[in-house]
Amino acid sequence: MASLDSLRHLTLGQYAPGHSRVHLLDPRAKLVALALLTVAVVVSSWWGATLALVALIGAAYAVAGLSRRHVASSLRPVWPVLGMLAFFQLLFGSGVDEALAGNVLLVSWGGYALSAGRLFGVAVSLARLVSLVLLVNLLTSTTTPSALATGLEMLLRPLNAVGLPGHELALMGSIALRFMPILGEELEAVMRAQTARGAGWADTGRWRLAQNARRVAAVIVPLFADAFRRVEEMTTAMLARCYQGGRGRTHLVHLRLSRADYVAIGASLAALAGAVASRV
């Protein structure tokens, strides 16, 4: 039952209240910085640039005052996926820097050969994937859903000129982030109910995918049914409040970029420029 208890403590997608400099940044600046750093992580091909980006993200977490337990909790749901990706890269991947790691043969069995360069490449790839997860978690942990929706709406406002509803797109994104912990709690409730009826979830670990594959449908069906029920309730509540999209909507708080926001965007631009330069 301990594995079921961990579902409600996932921090990915949850806001962590605070008054740090990262919390006080304009949500538009955080969204732009997230986009720039995401591109930097994706395009970085040199291991040094990847480590520098990891250090930059770690510094942002330190400034935000987020604990190590919070970081570990945000990474917990993605470790199985990262483990599978690392396994397949060990089998079929290649080294990213043979000059650094050396073309040293570690394991040789039949037609398979594991070199130090390939092992180093797996470590760098995992660092890049973890960086992407940490970036998203940093944004959601330091920005309230309402502020995130407002910032995203203002960034998408130019799309209204071409007929795309920027407000509705921002609202869908904020609702999706808000529903992540709710669906986690509902998944825990469904799995507990099935365990009480002898489904056997408590006897299998999260890594035993083959044993749990036959029980996935029994979890997905009630989970989707609850999600559709919540969507219907939300739709009824929005209609009862005469929601008509972004037409004529005003904001209680008007966002204004400060010097710290420009510094954050500038640092992200510098990181992107360094990542692009590493490919040359």
Side-chain angles (χ1 to χ4, degrees):
M1 302 295 286
S3 61
L4 303 182
D5 293 335
S6 61
L7 294 175
R8 69 171 62 187
H9 301 296
L10 298 180
T11 59
L12 187 61
Q14 295 185 8
Y15 173 68
H19 300 282
S20 67
R21 294 183 179 180
V22 180
H23 284 81
L24 298 178
L25 288 177
D26 192 289
R28 294 172 296 176
K30 285 190 267 190
L31 286 168
V32 173
L34 172 69
L36 294 175
L37 290 176
T38 299
V39 176
V41 171
V42 172
V43 303
S44 63
S45 58
W46 182 45
W47 66 270
T50 301
L51 292 181
L53 290 171
V54 172
L56 179 61
I57 296 172
Y61 268 86
V63 173
L66 299 177
S67 63
R68 295 181 180 179
R69 180 178 300 179
H70 182 92
V71 177
S73 179
S74 64
L75 292 176
R76 187 178 299 119
V78 300
W79 279 127
V81 178
L82 295 180
M84 292 181 62
L85 293 177
F87 175 73
F88 284 114
Q89 187 169 357
L90 281 175
L91 293 180
F92 309 108
S94 59
V96 296
D97 200 334
E98 296 292 345
L100 176 69
N103 194 14
V104 180
L105 185 62
L106 300 177
V107 177
S108 179
W109 182 63
Y112 174 76
L114 175 62
S115 64
R118 178 178 296 185
L119 194 62
F120 186 76
V122 171
V124 173
S125 299
L126 285 179
R128 296 169 65 181
L129 293 174
V130 169
S131 299
L132 295 176
V133 177
L134 291 179
L135 282 174
V136 176
N137 182 66
L138 180 63
L139 174 66
T140 57
S141 299
T142 59
T143 313
T144 61
S146 58
L148 191 59
T150 302
L152 187 59
E153 178 185 354
M154 291 185 176
L155 289 177
L156 297 178
R157 184 171 294 176
L159 297 179
N160 295 330
V162 295
L164 293 178
H167 172 75
E168 284 77 2
L169 293 175
L171 181 63
M172 287 189 296
S174 62
I175 291 176
L177 289 176
R178 181 64 185 89
F179 262 65
M180 288 179 62
I182 295 177
L183 291 179
E185 294 178 0
E186 182 61 25
L187 177 61
E188 177 189 355
V190 172
M191 294 176 66
R192 282 183 176 276
Q194 293 185 359
T195 301
R197 291 165 175 79
W201 281 99
D203 299 330
T204 57
R206 68 179 64 182
W207 293 94
R208 302 180 63 179
L209 301 180
Q211 290 82 349
N212 292 335
R214 302 176 65 179
R215 304 186 181 96
V216 169
V219 174
I220 294 298
V221 172
L223 188 63
F224 269 82
D226 179 78
F228 286 130
R229 179 182 59 82
R230 292 180 182 272
V231 169
E232 184 177 0
E233 292 176 353
M234 180 176 295
T235 303
T236 303
M238 295 173 69
L239 291 177
R241 291 163 176 80
C242 302
Y243 175 77
Q244 298 179 354
R247 295 189 300 270
R249 185 175 183 269
T250 60
H251 298 279
L252 178 63
V253 178
H254 295 276
L255 301 178
R256 294 181 180 178
L257 294 175
S258 63
R259 181 180 301 177
D261 299 319
Y262 290 111
V263 170
I265 296 176
S268 302
L269 277 174
L272 177 58
V276 173
S278 67
R279 298 181 62 90
V280 180

